[in-house]
Amino acid sequence: MKTRKITKAVFPVAGMGTRFLPATKSIPKEIMTLVDRPLIQYAIDEARAAGITEFIFVTSRGKSALEDYFDVAPELESRLRDAGKKELLEVLKDTNMDSGAIAYVRQNRPLGLGHAVWCARRLIGDEPFAVLLPDDVIAAEKPCLQQMVEAYAQTGGNMVATMEVAPERVSAYGVLDVADDMGDIVRAKGMVEKPKADEAPSNLAVIGRYILSPRVLNNLNDIKQGAGGEIQLTDAIAKEIGGEESVYGFRFRGQRYDCGSKAGFLQATVAFGLAREDLQAEFADYLHDLLAQQKAAQ
Ligand code: G1P
């Protein structure tokens, strides 16, 4: 199948992050760090690895720290240079964006994920695009979006990342109704946002990585409020089912952390801390001792 190259990605970052108050009173949730890198950096790195060259942030009031993060910091950089701190300058490189590679568009009212993506419609135009939800952090040998871009080259259409979740957890997700299960790839015959556990078509949940046809943006023009009273991206994608471009789920290889929840954020912090060569030994020792102490106290 001949598919167009995916070069644009949308990062919906307008949410208030109330689950992480009081921290999010003054810092955007996306700037919160796993070890020493902000959540948003993981999403950007993953997008870059997949060939994305244009990054569209859908922001809201109070998110200016994100814009500063991806800007050059001349004073800081010259100080580091003068002090001969080459490694730190190297670390900062990942935060620099080419001029014009990053665009910000405001979502002026919190009307839902579908509405947030729709806010980027003029910047996307008439080409397929990716969406990455920075709350979903995915540790993988080959970055998740890159896996999807490769699978999409075979299928075209629309593709969402997916994984099996515990049946009692389905009501927190978009859920796929599966027509054909081909292993890594499934073709959907339905998709529903946050179904009740006993009404869910499966336990195959949508995870926050999407490759979408521009037709979905068109669908968003007239999508009504759905689950939770919000304009849902899931509903706009589901409209494509049965049309000329199918909707596929892609079972990615990797470990997903739900950094939109405190428990998930802590799990990711531990996992990423343990995966870091410079911290591994000390941190593993500490965790080991802590568990031993807890056991002894029981
Ligand atoms: C969003 C999507 C949902 C998806 C989830 C994955 O929900 O609406 O379909 O399953 O992300 O993290 P949210 O977590 O923003 O409520």
Side-chain angles (χ1 to χ4, degrees), residues 34-47 137 272:
L34 291 177
V35 192
D36 49 13
R37 294 159 79 77
L39 279 188
I40 191 67
Q41 184 76 57
Y42 292 90
I44 291 287
D45 290 351
E46 187 181 325
V137 175
F272 281 77

Side-chain angles (χ1 to χ4, degrees), residues 113 133 136 172-174 193-194 205-208 210 232 234 256:
L113 177 60
L133 309 187
D136 281 331
Y173 295 96
E193 181 68 15
K194 304 204 169 67
V206 176
I207 300 302
Y210 308 76
Q232 296 291 354
T234 304
R256 173 254 183 177

Side-chain angles (χ1 to χ4, degrees), residues 19-73:
R19 277 194 222 163
F20 286 92
L21 279 171
T24 46
K25 183 180 172 198
S26 67
I27 51 164
K29 181 177 62 178
E30 298 77 18
I31 291 287
M32 287 175 43
T33 56
L34 291 177
V35 192
D36 49 13
R37 294 159 79 77
L39 279 188
I40 191 67
Q41 184 76 57
Y42 292 90
I44 291 287
D45 290 351
E46 187 181 325
R48 276 187 175 137
I52 299 296
T53 50
E54 289 184 57
F55 305 81
I56 303 164
F57 282 60
V58 182
T59 68
S60 59
R61 179 173 291 274
K63 298 279 180 168
S64 45
L66 273 171
E67 294 192 34
D68 291 342
Y69 179 79
F70 288 112
D71 202 353
V72 284

Side-chain angles (χ1 to χ4, degrees), residues 2 8 18 44 65 83 92-93 100 102 112 135 139 145 162-163 165 170 173 179 189 200-201 212 243 254 268:
K2 189 95 192 78
K8 295 182 180 176
T18 48
I44 291 287
L92 281 185
K93 265 199 181 151
I102 189 160
D135 271 0
L145 190 64
T162 188
M163 67 183 243
V165 298
V170 287
Y173 295 96
K189 61 170 186 244
L212 301 175

Side-chain angles (χ1 to χ4, degrees), residues 25-294:
K25 183 180 172 198
S26 67
I27 51 164
K29 181 177 62 178
E30 298 77 18
I31 291 287
M32 287 175 43
T33 56
L34 291 177
V35 192
D36 49 13
R37 294 159 79 77
L39 279 188
I40 191 67
Q41 184 76 57
Y42 292 90
I44 291 287
D45 290 351
E46 187 181 325
R48 276 187 175 137
I52 299 296
T53 50
E54 289 184 57
F55 305 81
I56 303 164
F57 282 60
V58 182
T59 68
S60 59
R61 179 173 291 274
K63 298 279 180 168
S64 45
L66 273 171
E67 294 192 34
D68 291 342
Y69 179 79
F70 288 112
D71 202 353
V72 284
E75 199 182 328
L76 173 64
E77 286 174 24
S78 77
R79 278 201 191 187
L80 293 175
R81 209 166 293 118
D82 293 349
K85 304 217 156 145
K86 282 207 187 106
E87 320 80 73
L88 290 180
L89 278 168
E90 209 43 47
V91 165
L92 281 185
K93 265 199 181 151
D94 287 345
T95 69
N96 290 344
M97 288 283 185
D98 291 342
S99 264
I102 189 160
Y104 299 91
V105 56
R106 284 240 179 164
Q107 184 187 25
N108 57 7
R109 281 175 299 159
L111 297 179
L113 177 60
H115 179 259
V117 171
W118 179 79
C119 289
R121 66 198 178 282
R122 293 202 178 88
L123 294 170
I124 296 165
D126 190 29
E127 56 185 285
F129 61 100
V131 179
L132 295 94
L133 309 187
D135 271 0
D136 281 331
V137 175
I138 300 172
E141 222 163 89
K142 182 185 281 185
C144 179
L145 190 64
Q146 191 182 343
Q147 297 176 38
M148 287 174 70
V149 163
E150 289 172 13
Y152 171 82
Q154 312 297 317
T155 64
N158 298 274
M159 183 173 277
V160 301
T162 188
M163 67 183 243
E164 261 81 27
V165 298
E168 64 276 13
R169 295 283 304 135
V170 287
S171 57
Y173 295 96
V175 176
L176 295 171
D177 193 357
V178 176
D180 305 313
D181 193 332
M182 297 158 273
D184 288 349
I185 298 175
V186 304
R187 198 169 55 80
K189 61 170 186 244
M191 218 173 142
V192 10
E193 181 68 15
K194 304 204 169 67
K196 292 199 184 111
D198 55 355
E199 288 169 9
S202 76
N203 68 333
L204 204 52
V206 176
I207 300 302
R209 301 289 184 274
Y210 308 76
I211 296 177
L212 301 175
S213 140
R215 295 166 56 94
V216 171
L217 295 172
N218 229 14
N219 297 346
L220 281 166
N221 284 330
D222 33 47
I223 287 288
K224 305 273 175 304
Q225 292 175 332
E230 296 189 340
I231 297 181
Q232 296 291 354
L233 183 59
T234 304
D235 296 343
I237 301 170
K239 271 194 127 182
E240 288 302 293
I241 293 172
E244 55 193 75
E245 294 182 328
S246 296
V247 175
Y248 300 94
F250 177 73
R251 288 193 180 95
F252 57 94
R253 279 164 221 270
Q255 176 70 42
R256 173 254 183 177
Y257 297 94
D258 174 12
C259 290
S261 82
K262 287 176 207 179
F265 201 101
L266 283 172
Q267 287 158 15
T269 300
V270 173
F272 281 77
L274 284 174
R276 277 273 292 260
E277 259 170 44
D278 55 334
L279 300 169
Q280 209 167 45
E282 189 184 343
F283 193 39
D285 278 353
Y286 166 73
L287 289 177
H288 187 267
D289 292 351
L290 186 71
L291 289 176
Q293 275 173 29
Q294 279 191 343

